[in-house]
Amino acid sequence: MTSFDEIYSKSKSRYQELESGNKPWIRIGTAVCGEAAGSKEVVDRIKSDLRSLGVDANVSEVGCIGLCYAEPIVDVIKPGGPRIFYGNVNPDIASEIVKSYVSEDDYRPDLALAAMSESDVDGVMNMKDLPMWSKQVRVALRNCGNIDPMEIGQYIATGGYAALDKAVNSMTPEEVLKEVQDSGLRGRGGAAFPTGTKWSFLARSPGPVKYILCNCEEGDPGAFNDKGILESDPHSLIEGTILAGYASGASNGIVFIRHGHEGPINRTLAAIEQAYELGLLGNNILGSSFSFDMEVSLTGDSYVAGEETALMESIEGKRAMPRARPPFPAAYGVWGLPSNINNIKSLSYVPEIIAKGGEWFAGIGTDGSKGTAILCLSGNIKYSGMIEVPMGLTINQVIYDIAGGTPDGRKVKFLQTGGPLGGVLPDEKMDVELDFGAMSQAGAILGSGGLIVADERACAVNMARLLVAFCQYESCGKCFPCRLGMTNLIEILERVSNFASRPEDLELMTNIGQNMAAGSLCGHGQLGWNPVQSALKYFPDDFSAHMEEKRCITGQCAQQITTPQRTRSRWSPVQLLELKV
Amino acid sequence: MAETREQHDQSIKDALMKQNAKTVTVLSSLLAIQDSLGYISGRAIDQIASYTGSTLNDVWGVASFYTNFRFSPPGENFVEVCWGPTCHLLGAQGVLDCVLGELGLKEEGDTGDRKVSLKFNTCLGACSQGPLVSVNHKIIGPKLIGDANPKDFQNSVVKIISDLKKG
Ligand SMILES: Cc1cc2nc3c(=O)[nH]c(=O)nc-3n(C[C@H](O)[C@H](O)[C@H](O)COP(=O)(O)O)c2cc1C
Ligand code: FES
């Protein structure tokens, strides 16, 4: 049995060779955002150019560093040199970089995005001054874009699994639990429930077999940070999950991912396998008496499968419909055994919390919301991407100082936050702080961290209609207030946006929305009214223009929106008639 | 060349046995078969039921719930267009209209010659690069084709789709 120190020193020396050895090190971001922008083509070009020029260099495919607006991103370290980032690289630019900088010594300031180094590099902005980077505090995202997610050694060399070693070999489960409780960490999956408290419920449940379920369903359109973490740094999730297991006496972990997202799935599977090989998973982890197993479970397309009890049904291979609570998952979870469900982000914080202490984490953020917020910025925005900033910054700071406002200087009209069950927040309200309480008071939950920016060309009725179309399509059909209510809401919103509304429609919508909130088992029905409610609250003029003046202020509603036919919904008898047995 | 019933049964069996889920369930079996055959046939439902010890009703129930499953062989090419809120704000509707027009379809479905199957996606997971389409599981955004301008991107997507129709 090799000790952790031996594993660490081996990994460290290999990593030092990459970082400061005698060969250039080229890193290319190949997460899904990079891929959509063409990073695969860039990798191929770089490899073939190196071969034809006869240059010896290390090439790593890394995850997403979060500056998605500049994807594909390539960065190069030459022996003894700074780390220089190049943005918006296409195969031809990649060839230039290889020719001028990797094989010769011209670092091409004209192509460079920024440089990561202590001292300034002539003609290139320092990363510390890059608007999207300067305010970031990277805890859960610390490794994203820096290490190769398929190489466990790089994770270990940068401090990974040291917290696990410390926990299983020198701390009791109670001490680990206490650190997480002291950190004040609250769940990042939507409900913001204190993570330590949730673990303590599981710790009190009896039984040799207990589960930690890691929720990467991430059906929220506009959120890509959970998949981003798995694709860029799966080991921080795995280490966090093992620590959760140790603290709560669990024996098994399951990472729950929607099928079809090959990047996150393959990288997680590979990471789990490598962790087993090094004895970081399995029996007697790192020589301790603690044993823990992990696997990946895939689900089909269903938004509600991300809800914690529906998730357990889906792991059991059934229709992803929520269960009634109680019994709560800590007493009766997946396969009827005690379970704990956490979001990927929540768990990825844990290794750093154990390494640096709960108090350190609690020192970041606001009173009610400790730590950092991991946000996905997209829509009509200059710098889109995935960032991690301390809680307590205002939304204005995020949208204007960090993300540069809209690309063409148009006025921001609203922000859609927290996924389809969240709300819309008008420009005037954007001085609200990143804080779970403050955000929900403003009517826009922080949720899973997706922030979609809409400029003045967008119509609030149109957006409400799109979000309700999503919720209607995704209703699992178990509770009739949700199933029928969403269908009625979308019918009414279609009338409104086609300028054919009836006078009683506003009252009718409110009535339906309130009934859905009161009569549904899970958040889908309970919160499905949120987008319409907040649009009505903040943009009454948009609604009255459609309803009374029969026009759309922005003209967006003149265009039809095509969404999947209602008859295709999962609970529709029409679909079943189509099936041929 | 049409597959015989025996060959079809054998492919289903192979897909079931080879699935790499650690815990085999009705859902994992359905996903494995859809991945390898492209659809869920009536025979597949029968075999999954006996393989997992479930009733036919249970298997149909799960298959009809998740919207990714289809029950007839797919077209040769698979195209997805994202209509999530980010892509919507960045011009997905225009892309969707062009794609539907080029394929001669009114909603998601297969073209008459079975060259292309079209599906709407609620979020392809790379919103920062929107508007996005996915062609045979490769995600394509405006940057990949070098078109910053929405109109050019629409034209490029139409070109890709018309090549698929010919191909
Ligand atoms: C309809 C619906 C969908 C949800 N989808 C997700 C999801 O995709 N990912 C997630 O982490 N939580 C999702 N949640 C929240 C989970 O139920 C649960 O609160 C969360 O995973 C707990 O993790 P946390 O304590 O770490 O936040 C969803 C909730 C509802 C009602
Ligand atoms: S909204 Fe289109 S990829 Fe997310």
Side-chain angles (χ1 to χ4, degrees):
Chain A
M1 180 75 218
T2 40
S3 75
F4 183 72
D5 291 339
E6 269 171 71
I7 301 176
Y8 174 75
S9 58
K10 242 192 245 158
S11 309
K12 184 81 190 169
S13 64
R14 217 171 308 145
Y15 191 72
Q16 269 168 346
E17 230 175 83
L18 277 175
E19 220 174 21
S20 44
N22 50 16
K23 278 196 249 172
W25 186 19
I26 307 172
R27 284 177 271 196
I28 306 139
T30 56
V32 63
C33 46
E35 206 185 312
S39 63
K40 286 274 187 274
E41 288 75 3
V42 170
V43 174
D44 292 345
R45 180 68 75 85
I46 290 182
K47 287 189 175 159
S48 77
D49 278 9
L50 288 173
R51 236 176 290 126
S52 60
L53 289 171
V55 179
D56 196 9
N58 292 307
V59 179
S60 300
E61 291 189 24
V62 296
C64 170
I65 198 155
L67 310 174
C68 304
Y69 68 96
E71 291 286 354
I73 296 177
V74 173
D75 78 78
V76 182
I77 297 189
K78 297 256 298 204
R83 180 176 176 193
I84 299 190
F85 286 82
Y86 301 90
N88 295 316
V89 177
N90 59 29
D92 293 337
I93 299 180
S95 289
E96 296 266 315
I97 297 169
V98 172
K99 193 169 110 251
S100 321
Y101 188 40
V102 183
S103 114
E104 284 157 28
D105 274 323
D106 176 5
Y107 59 83
R108 295 301 296 267
D110 57 323
L111 300 175
L113 177 73
M116 206 184 253
S117 73
E118 293 294 313
S119 55
D120 283 341
V121 178
D122 214 16
V124 183
M125 185 189 279
N126 196 305
M127 199 76 162
K128 289 195 290 258
D129 303 323
L130 198 69
M132 205 168 172
W133 194 262
S134 57
K135 288 203 167 61
Q136 290 204 46
V137 173
R138 290 167 77 94
V139 181
L141 302 186
R142 65 197 177 281
N143 290 321
C144 294
N146 294 330
I147 63 170
D148 184 341
M150 302 289 267
E151 292 269 351
I152 190 170
Q154 297 193 9
Y155 179 73
I156 293 174
T158 48
Y161 289 111
L164 179 65
D165 182 46
K166 174 172 147 189
V168 295
N169 285 321
S170 68
M171 292 169 83
T172 64
E174 293 73 27
E175 283 166 348
V176 175
L177 183 61
K178 183 151 188 319
E179 286 300 335
V180 175
Q181 282 172 331
D182 289 348
S183 75
L185 175 64
R186 291 170 68 180
R188 300 295 198 255
F193 193 81
T195 305
T197 312
K198 209 190 250 187
W199 291 5
S200 72
F201 297 151
L202 187 69
R204 268 177 287 179
S205 295
V209 182
K210 298 197 265 183
Y211 285 93
I212 303 285
L213 311 178
C214 319
N215 189 351
C216 188
E217 206 285 322
E218 199 168 50
D220 285 354
F224 41 90
N225 42 21
D226 293 346
K227 291 186 286 272
I229 291 176
L230 288 189
E231 215 170 5
S232 311
D233 189 21
H235 286 289
S236 66
L237 181 262
I238 295 173
E239 188 180 1
T241 309
I242 307 172
L243 286 166
Y246 185 67
S248 56
S251 55
N252 289 72
I254 301 180
V255 189
F256 182 79
I257 318 178
R258 188 184 288 199
H259 84 110
H261 294 285
E262 297 304 329
I265 295 170
N266 291 339
R267 289 176 179 185
T268 308
L269 283 169
I272 290 178
E273 203 177 301
Q274 292 170 359
Y276 268 109
E277 277 163 19
L278 292 184
L280 300 162
L281 275 172
N283 289 335
N284 301 93
I285 291 173
L286 293 171
S288 70
S289 59
F290 178 64
S291 303
F292 194 78
D293 284 300
M294 268 180 93
E295 65 183 280
V296 169
S297 172
L298 301 185
T299 180
D301 288 0
S302 156
Y303 177 67
V304 173
E307 195 278 336
E308 56 182 23
T309 56
L311 179 150
M312 302 186 301
E313 293 285 301
S314 179
I315 293 177
E316 294 177 13
K318 304 183 193 143
R319 294 168 77 106
M321 290 175 155
R323 299 176 182 170
R325 281 164 296 190
F328 288 93
Y332 188 93
V334 71
W335 309 112
L337 295 164
S339 306
N340 172 84
I341 296 95
N342 272 126
N343 174 262
I344 300 295
K345 296 176 285 283
S346 319
L347 290 165
S348 300
Y349 281 118
V350 175
E352 284 290 277
I353 291 176
I354 299 304
K356 298 189 176 159
E359 221 169 284
W360 162 80
F361 190 80
I364 312 173
T366 63
D367 281 348
S369 310
K370 304 294 187 197
T372 59
I374 302 174
L375 305 173
C376 295
L377 307 169
S378 69
N380 302 132
I381 195 162
K382 194 163 175 192
Y383 303 133
S384 57
M386 170 166 90
I387 59 169
E388 180 167 4
V389 292
M391 291 279 191
L393 244 55
T394 66
I395 296 280
N396 266 327
Q397 282 173 307
V398 172
I399 301 300
Y400 293 102
D401 301 351
I402 297 180
T406 57
D408 37 19
R410 282 198 169 82
K411 202 174 153 337
V412 172
K413 181 164 179 177
F414 59 82
L415 198 66
Q416 203 277 313
T417 71
L421 307 176
V424 298
L425 196 68
D427 190 39
E428 307 85 73
K429 291 275 169 187
M430 286 192 204
D431 50 1
V432 61
E433 280 184 5
L434 282 172
D435 175 278
F436 293 116
M439 290 281 287
S440 50
Q441 230 168 26
I445 55 172
L446 191 50
S448 50
L451 298 184
I452 304 174
V453 180
D455 68 25
E456 59 200 358
R457 288 169 300 178
C459 166
V461 176
N462 194 276
M463 181 50 76
R465 178 182 164 192
L466 187 88
L467 296 175
V468 172
F470 176 92
C471 293
Q472 193 272 342
Y473 177 69
E474 291 290 0
S475 170
C476 82
K478 180 163 181 165
C479 314
F480 73 84
C482 172
R483 181 177 74 220
L484 303 180
M486 296 285 192
T487 307
N488 282 339
L489 277 184
I490 187 71
E491 272 170 20
I492 298 172
L493 284 166
E494 269 168 16
R495 278 209 293 273
V496 174
S497 45
N498 292 333
F499 316 118
S501 62
R502 302 175 194 154
E504 70 274 16
D505 277 349
L506 276 188
E507 200 191 325
L508 192 59
M509 277 198 291
T510 314
N511 207 331
I512 295 169
Q514 285 166 351
N515 281 321
M516 275 165 43
S520 306
L521 262 183
C522 89
H524 195 78
Q526 290 161 6
L527 305 172
W529 166 236
N530 264 359
V532 192
Q533 190 181 27
S534 60
L536 272 171
K537 176 168 163 199
Y538 291 124
F539 298 99
D541 292 351
D542 280 24
F543 280 86
S544 61
H546 286 77
M547 300 182 75
E548 282 146 35
E549 299 159 34
K550 310 289 176 205
R551 71 188 182 96
C552 172
I553 303 173
T554 65
Q556 210 189 10
C557 292
Q559 195 191 35
Q560 288 295 320
I561 359 183
T562 318
T563 49
Q565 290 291 311
R566 273 200 293 289
T567 47
R568 287 291 172 99
S569 291
R570 63 198 72 226
W571 35 264
S572 157
V574 177
Q575 190 197 5
L576 292 174
L577 288 180
E578 280 173 13
L579 307 180
K580 288 185 285 288
V581 189
Chain B
M1 199 177 56
E3 208 182 21
T4 65
R5 189 179 172 115
E6 284 70 34
Q7 282 168 334
H8 183 65
D9 279 351
Q10 191 57 44
S11 347
I12 294 170
K13 203 165 159 195
D14 290 346
L16 277 178
M17 305 300 282
K18 275 202 301 249
Q19 59 177 306
N20 65 358
K22 227 172 161 183
T23 309
V24 171
T25 62
V26 172
L27 178 55
S28 75
S29 306
L30 283 164
L31 286 170
I33 288 180
Q34 167 121 340
D35 273 351
S36 94
L37 271 65
Y39 74 109
I40 307 293
S41 62
R43 296 289 299 157
I45 299 277
D46 292 346
Q47 288 207 31
I48 293 173
S50 56
Y51 187 70
T52 57
S54 321
T55 65
L56 284 181
N57 212 0
D58 284 341
V59 183
W60 273 121
V62 177
S64 60
F65 181 84
Y66 296 94
T67 50
N68 54 304
F69 293 121
R70 50 176 296 146
F71 304 98
S72 58
E76 277 165 50
N77 298 288
F78 189 60
V79 175
E80 286 175 280
V81 182
C82 178
W83 62 279
T86 303
C87 289
H88 180 70
L89 288 170
L90 298 173
Q93 188 61 46
V95 178
L96 205 53
D97 290 342
C98 291
V99 171
L100 286 169
E102 181 61 26
L103 293 175
L105 293 174
K106 288 220 159 43
E107 52 167 308
E108 48 181 5
D110 310 330
T111 53
D113 57 3
R114 300 217 148 258
K115 282 273 186 206
V116 182
S117 291
L118 174 70
K119 195 171 183 316
F120 300 159
N121 194 303
T122 50
C123 179
L124 285 163
C127 319
S128 56
Q129 309 294 334
L132 294 178
V133 298
S134 154
V135 176
N136 294 328
H137 306 288
K138 179 174 172 58
I139 297 182
I140 299 173
K143 260 195 203 167
L144 181 75
I145 351 192
D147 299 327
N149 165 329
K151 202 78 221 156
D152 290 346
F153 180 61
Q154 287 176 15
N155 293 338
S156 304
V157 172
V158 167
K159 170 96 186 26
I160 294 173
I161 306 256
S162 80
D163 288 348
L164 291 181
K165 282 198 317 193
K166 285 184 216 126

